Amino acid sequence: MPKEEMLPSESEWMIMETLWRCGHDLTSAEIADALPKSSKMNQRMVRVLINRLCKKGMLKFTVDPDDARVYHYSAARGRDECRRAKSSAFVENYFEGNRLSAAFTLLEGGKLSAEQIKELEDILKKARKDI
């Protein structure tokens, strides 16, 4: 499991979600424009977060062939991989590593649809086979 400091923070996660949702390289200005208006992040803050994500190995970049001052960013790690790592860190930090306790707490907090219950049953069936 990656160290928690190597995982994206909540603000950094918004940058990652923007890139995952878009599905192609974006400049820092394009990322800033694509963020939800509720984020209230200015372009300078977006650049700071992008630099952090690059240092964490979460983003990769290419230099624009026409303008060396422009960088195009893309996700270096997938959404599912990051979700698994963040989930594991969450369980370790708040539930002393007890996945069952974490699952119970999350499931008790709201109603599940029939489709979600079916998905949960499928996960449990798979878990039984893996024992």
Side-chain angles (χ1 to χ4, degrees):
M1 176 176 64
K3 293 182 181 174
E4 190 164 355
E5 64 268 10
M6 297 306 291
L7 297 173
S9 68
E10 287 184 46
S11 297
E12 293 165 349
W13 193 271
M14 289 176 24
I15 304 284
M16 296 300 294
E17 277 292 343
T18 299
L19 287 163
W20 288 323
R21 185 176 52 252
C22 181
H24 60 81
D25 297 1
L26 295 174
T27 65
S28 61
E30 291 169 332
I31 292 170
D33 289 342
L35 286 170
K37 299 304 176 210
S38 61
S39 75
K40 298 184 181 176
M41 273 194 250
N42 61 34
Q43 191 162 345
R44 185 178 187 287
M45 184 63 181
V46 168
R47 286 195 306 269
V48 167
L49 294 173
I50 286 171
N51 286 334
R52 287 183 192 166
L53 287 165
C54 286
K55 287 179 184 174
K56 291 179 178 184
M58 301 294 301
L59 294 183
K60 55 188 176 184
F61 64 88
T62 57
V63 178
D64 191 289
D66 299 324
D67 187 347
R69 298 172 297 170
V70 177
Y71 289 41
H72 298 268
Y73 300 94
S74 61
R77 294 174 60 194
R79 179 185 279 137
D80 288 341
E81 175 188 359
C82 291
R83 279 184 180 157
R84 281 190 298 275
K86 288 286 272 187
S87 296
S88 292
F90 177 77
V91 170
E92 287 298 321
N93 289 334
Y94 296 100
F95 296 93
E96 299 175 345
N98 186 331
R99 292 177 179 273
L100 186 58
S101 179
F104 282 152
T105 301
L106 293 171
L107 291 172
E108 287 175 341
K111 292 186 176 185
L112 296 176
S113 68
E115 183 179 320
Q116 291 170 324
I117 292 170
K118 171 77 171 95
E119 286 179 44
L120 185 56
E121 288 170 342
D122 291 345
I123 290 169
L124 292 172
K125 284 178 189 174
K126 184 180 182 305
R128 281 189 198 107
K129 289 179 185 177
D130 292 341
I131 295 177

